[in-house]
Amino acid sequence: MFNETKKNFNIEVKKYATKNIIKKLKEQGIDYTQLQDEDFNSLVADEIEILKADSKKVGAGIGIGILISLVTGI
């Protein structure tokens, strides 16, 4: 069950990253269908790495917030 959840999560992250890349390219006036698949997939992979890095920062922030709450008793 965990593997299925992880697989579904990865699929959703890829969909989100793809939508982000398409949006960013449109903002720059670039038609993503004109890019080679290899280039587009590379952009999506980079966007996924950015999302992962951002989620780690958020997770660390939440963890620190919980720790401070436990220490201060608030």
Side-chain angles (χ1 to χ4, degrees):
M1 180 171 167
F2 178 74
N3 289 335
E4 184 177 327
T5 302
K6 185 176 178 182
K7 182 179 175 182
N8 288 336
F9 179 76
N10 289 338
I11 289 169
E12 292 301 316
V13 168
K14 186 172 183 179
K15 285 181 187 177
Y16 184 73
T18 301
K19 288 179 184 178
N20 279 353
I21 290 298
I22 292 171
K23 180 181 173 186
K24 289 177 182 179
L25 290 171
K26 282 184 180 178
E27 288 173 357
Q28 297 177 14
I30 300 171
D31 182 8
Y32 76 96
T33 59
Q34 299 298 321
L35 294 175
Q36 293 181 359
D37 287 343
E38 181 180 306
D39 294 335
F40 183 75
N41 289 336
S42 177
L43 290 172
V44 171
D46 290 343
E47 185 71 12
I48 289 171
E49 291 303 314
I50 291 168
L51 292 172
K52 286 181 180 179
D54 288 348
S55 67
K56 287 179 183 176
K57 290 177 188 174
V58 170
I62 291 171
I64 291 170
I66 292 172
L67 180 63
I68 290 171
S69 295
L70 290 173
V71 170
T72 62
I74 296 175

